[in-house]
Structure formats: C-alpha cells, structure tokens
C-alpha cells in the first residue's frame, strides 16, 4: 500500500497550515492536500488587506500573514500536494482513502477538513466579451493597490469586499465610482458612510450593460451602465473596472459517511463538530470556517484554536498515553537546535 500518514489535511489555508504546524509539534506524520497552486487560502483574494486581529501581530498585510503562515506550517516538513482536488473520502477498516480528481489515492489514519468556505472562484461579469479584458483592465481581485494610482475606477458590487476595495483606494485612485444592482448596499454601514464622506459616488439599482473597447480592442475605455429600475442608460469613462459579485464555492468532495457540509444562514456551509474538531464520523475532523460548534469564533485566531484542539484529540486517539497537549515552545526540546541557530544569527547581525 502507498505511504500511510497519521493525518491528512484537506485545505492549505490558515487553519490547515496551523494544523500542519501543530501536528509536526506533536510528532505526527502529516500531509496537506490543496486544490490551488499555492498555499494560503482565501487571504490571496486581497493580499494587501491589513489584518489587525491576530494576537501578538500588529497591523499586517495579508500577504505577509500568508508568508508567515506558510513558513510556520512547513516547519516540520509535511508532504504538500498542490493542484490536487479531493473528490471522495472513504473509510476502509482503520484507514481513510482520499481519492482525487486524477484518480490518485492517499491513505491516512485521520482526516482534517480545513477547506474554509470551500474552493472559491469569483463570480464573473456576465457581459458579452468581458473575458477578453481579464488580461488587461477587468479585475476580480486586487493584487496591488498602487497599480491603480491616478486611475479612474468603476467598482461593481455592494458587499463588504467591494466596499473595502473602494475605501482602500481612496487617495490612490484619481476617481472612484461604485455601482450596485440592488437598492441597498449590503456592506457595513460605517464603510459605506466613509465612502460618502469622502465623496465617492454610489449608484444603486445600477448594473453594467456593456463594455466599450479602445481603438486597439485591448482594454475597456467606457462602460455603459443601466438603471434596472428605470431602464435608463449612461456612460462612464474608465481606466479600470473592478468586479466583486461574490464567489462560487465548491464543496464537491463527498464522504461515504454522513458528514457532508450543511447550509447555515451566516456561514453558508459548515460541518458540526464536538468543539474538539471531531465530526459525527470517528477520525474525521473539521477546523476553521468549515467547522461549527458552540464556542466557535470565526477569526483566524479561532481557526488556530480549532487546529490545536483537533490535533491534540488526534494525538490522544492514536497514542492514548501521550501528553494531552504539546509542551510549550519555550521549554520544548524540539526547538532547541533551531533556537540556537536563530540566536547565533541574531548575534552575528548585530
């Protein structure tokens, strides 16, 4: 049989990466399976977003948080499978068999589901010919806010992400217009008020009807807008168009036991756990945003706590005589050599 792992983590976002770190700390043989080509999860949606609410970490761009999480998650050299989509998880005797879309099979004693909200893909703009501008000035994510310096921007979307984009681009872009097909924006009131106080036009009941190309047919130069209430149209000149109409979420992998994600009002999909990550199936755990329990906290720090609880429970399940928790890092002999290297490097650089 192929290599057997103590833990296989499905998902390489914050909860999956911290699970891998803590599993290594507990001396468990670990594998991460990630659908995307990179680790880091949905933080990649807006890498310049500033994150404030991770304990001990002052305001930090998401990209830096991603880099830190990956470095930490790979501390104990887990096996990492990128570009790998899980289709089915089954249990045979005491092992889980994880089947992928390519027909590969992975074998594990325990499984940790850390898929967040699922495989997310931005909902594309349903306007004829829109796809050809994705390589130029039609955007579904922001990779660098400075690329919009002194530009005239049209932002389509009324949720928190779209309004956050507009807020963060004030003072960088030359002009920003926000449109939303609905009558009332769904973003936080304080964020909307901030846009209004800074003179950002917000056009509700408005959608993109068509895109007008420049002479070279390579970029959008104008956007035809339609008021869905009156059917009136107007034209706006743009340098770039940013679209955030939400995300399609793929939860397509299934289990041969009843732990499929269920619908919830606030978090669209979740798997109920016992507070220690354990689902209704012995050996399958869920952590991060996909997990729901009585004391759940939907923050990155909450995902870390989920990971710790799940890995400790797994360790005791595999080794009943093991310590209930990992020894703290300041007294953990596993870090002695690494600490010495860091201290010596610090002394050399002084």
């Amino acid at each position: 049989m192929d290599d057997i792992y103590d833990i296989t983590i499905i998902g390489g976002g914050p909860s999956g990466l911290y699970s891998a770190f803590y599993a290594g700390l507990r001396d468990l043989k670990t594998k991460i399976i990630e659908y995307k080509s990179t680790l880091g999860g949905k933080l990649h949606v807006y890498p310049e977003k500033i994150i404030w609410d991770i304990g001990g970490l002052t305001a930090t761009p998401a990209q830096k948080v991603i880099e830190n999480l990956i470095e930490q998650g790979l501390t104990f050299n887990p096996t990492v499978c990128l570009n790998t989509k899980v289709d089915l998880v089954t249990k045979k005797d005491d092992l889980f068999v994880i089947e992928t879309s390519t027909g590969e099979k992975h074998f594990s004693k325990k499984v940790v589901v850390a898929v967040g909200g699922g495989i997310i893909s931005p909902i594309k703009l349903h306007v004829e010919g829109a796809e050809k501008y994705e390589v130029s000035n039609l955007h579904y994510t922001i990779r660098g806010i400075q690329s919009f310096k002194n530009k005239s921007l049209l932002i389509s979307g009324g949720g928190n992400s779209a309004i956050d984009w507009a807020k963060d681009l004030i003072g960088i872009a030359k002009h920003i217009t926000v449109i939303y097909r609905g009558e009332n924006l769904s973003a936080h009131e304080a964020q909307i008020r901030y846009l209004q106080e800074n003179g950002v036009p917000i056009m509700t009941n408005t959608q993109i009807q068509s895109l007008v190309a420049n002479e070279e047919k390579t970029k959008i130069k104008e956007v035809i807008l339609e008021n869905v209430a009156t059917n009136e149209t107007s034209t706006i000149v743009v340098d770039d168009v940013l679209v955030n109409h939400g995300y399609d979420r793929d939860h397509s992998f299934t289990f041969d036991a009843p732990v499929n994600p269920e619908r919830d009002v606030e978090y669209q999909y979740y798997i109920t756990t016992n507070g220690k990550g354990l689902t209704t199936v012995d050996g399958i755990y869920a952590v991060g945003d996909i997990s729901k329990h009585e004391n759940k906290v939907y923050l990155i720090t909450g995902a870390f706590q989920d990971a710790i609880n799940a890995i400790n429970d797994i360790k005791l399940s595999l080794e009943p005589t093991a310590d209930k928790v990992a020894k703290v890092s300041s007294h953990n002999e596993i870090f002695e050599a690494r600490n010495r290297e860091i201290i010596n490097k610090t002394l050399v650089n002084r």
Side-chain angles (χ1 to χ4, degrees), residues 6 21-30 76 315 319 334:
D6 293 322
F21 166 75
Y22 204 80
L25 194 60
R26 302 238 59 186
D27 196 29
L28 296 168
K29 186 177 180 180
T30 305
F76 299 102
K315 179 68 174 181
E319 301 175 32
I334 200 170

Side-chain angles (χ1 to χ4, degrees), residues 163 166-167 170 176 178 183-185 187-204:
I163 301 308
K167 179 177 177 290
I170 291 173
I176 301 169
V178 174
E183 188 168 347
N184 298 300
L185 278 68
H188 296 303
E189 290 183 8
Q191 303 291 72
I192 298 170
R193 187 166 57 250
Y194 184 88
L195 298 192
Q196 294 169 335
E197 291 172 350
N198 282 273
V200 175
I202 300 174
M203 302 170 65
T204 56

Side-chain angles (χ1 to χ4, degrees), residues 35-55:
Y35 171 71
K36 299 286 188 179
S37 60
T38 56
L39 298 169
K42 66 182 179 183
L43 290 175
H44 284 290
V45 171
Y46 193 174
E48 291 193 342
K49 184 69 179 173
I50 305 300
I51 298 176
W52 290 79
D53 52 13
I54 298 176

Side-chain angles (χ1 to χ4, degrees), residues 107-122:
F107 300 90
S108 189
K109 297 175 185 176
K110 307 289 182 180
V111 173
V112 174
V113 181
V115 297
I119 299 168
I120 62 173
S121 302

Side-chain angles (χ1 to χ4, degrees), residues 7-294:
I7 298 175
T8 296
I9 301 164
I10 304 174
S15 60
L17 287 167
Y18 197 78
S19 294
F21 166 75
Y22 204 80
L25 194 60
R26 302 238 59 186
D27 196 29
L28 296 168
K29 186 177 180 180
T30 305
K31 176 183 284 185
I32 302 172
I33 299 178
E34 167 58 43
Y35 171 71
K36 299 286 188 179
S37 60
T38 56
L39 298 169
K42 66 182 179 183
L43 290 175
H44 284 290
V45 171
Y46 193 174
E48 291 193 342
K49 184 69 179 173
I50 305 300
I51 298 176
W52 290 79
D53 52 13
I54 298 176
L57 193 64
T58 55
T60 306
Q63 181 60 45
K64 183 61 178 177
V65 175
I66 292 170
E67 293 169 3
N68 290 343
L69 280 168
I70 293 173
E71 182 178 354
Q72 183 182 51
L74 302 183
T75 298
F76 299 102
N77 301 311
T79 298
V80 178
C81 303
L82 300 175
N83 297 304
T84 303
K85 186 175 184 296
V86 172
D87 280 346
L88 178 66
V89 179
T90 58
K91 191 172 186 180
K92 294 183 178 180
D93 298 323
D94 293 330
L95 285 181
F96 289 97
V97 181
I98 302 162
E99 300 181 39
T100 71
S101 57
T102 60
E104 294 178 324
K105 293 183 179 181
H106 303 259
F107 300 90
S108 189
K109 297 175 185 176
K110 307 289 182 180
V111 173
V112 174
V113 181
V115 297
I119 299 168
I120 62 173
S121 302
I123 295 174
K124 298 297 185 73
L125 181 64
H126 298 301
V127 170
E128 184 178 356
E131 65 281 353
K132 65 186 177 185
Y133 301 113
E134 292 178 17
V135 296
S136 55
N137 63 340
L138 174 61
H139 313 276
Y140 294 101
T141 187
I142 292 180
R143 294 300 181 189
I145 59 176
Q146 289 301 320
S147 63
F148 300 107
K149 187 174 179 62
N150 297 325
K151 300 286 188 68
S152 292
L153 308 180
L154 174 67
I155 299 178
S156 180
N160 288 317
S161 294
I163 301 308
D164 280 351
W165 287 354
K167 179 177 177 290
D168 291 347
L169 287 164
I170 291 173
I172 293 173
K174 179 173 62 178
H175 187 267
I176 301 169
T177 300
V178 174
I179 66 169
Y180 182 53
R181 193 179 191 279
E183 188 168 347
N184 298 300
L185 278 68
S186 59
H188 296 303
E189 290 183 8
Q191 303 291 72
I192 298 170
R193 187 166 57 250
Y194 184 88
L195 298 192
Q196 294 169 335
E197 291 172 350
N198 282 273
V200 175
I202 300 174
M203 302 170 65
T204 56
N205 295 316
T206 302
Q207 66 181 3
I208 296 173
Q209 184 189 79
S210 59
L211 305 171
V212 180
N214 60 5
E215 292 183 3
E216 294 80 15
K217 308 295 182 183
T218 56
K219 290 186 176 182
I220 303 165
K221 73 169 184 178
E222 294 177 345
V223 178
I224 309 300
L225 303 177
E226 177 188 14
N227 185 300
V228 297
T230 66
N231 294 324
E232 294 177 345
T233 61
S234 59
T235 302
I236 182 172
V237 177
V238 300
D239 294 310
D240 289 270
V241 177
L242 288 76
V243 174
N244 192 302
H245 293 171
Y247 299 90
D248 287 323
R249 298 177 184 271
D250 181 358
H251 297 81
S252 59
F253 77 87
T254 57
F255 305 90
D256 67 343
V259 292
N260 283 329
E262 302 173 25
R263 288 188 178 276
D264 178 76
V265 174
E266 184 175 3
Y267 289 88
Q268 188 175 3
Y269 293 95
Y270 66 89
I271 297 174
T272 299
T273 72
N274 67 347
K276 295 182 179 180
L278 185 62
T279 69
T280 54
V281 176
D282 187 28
I284 296 182
Y285 293 74
V287 299
D289 281 356
I290 195 67
S291 169
K292 184 178 181 181
H293 53 82
E294 184 178 357

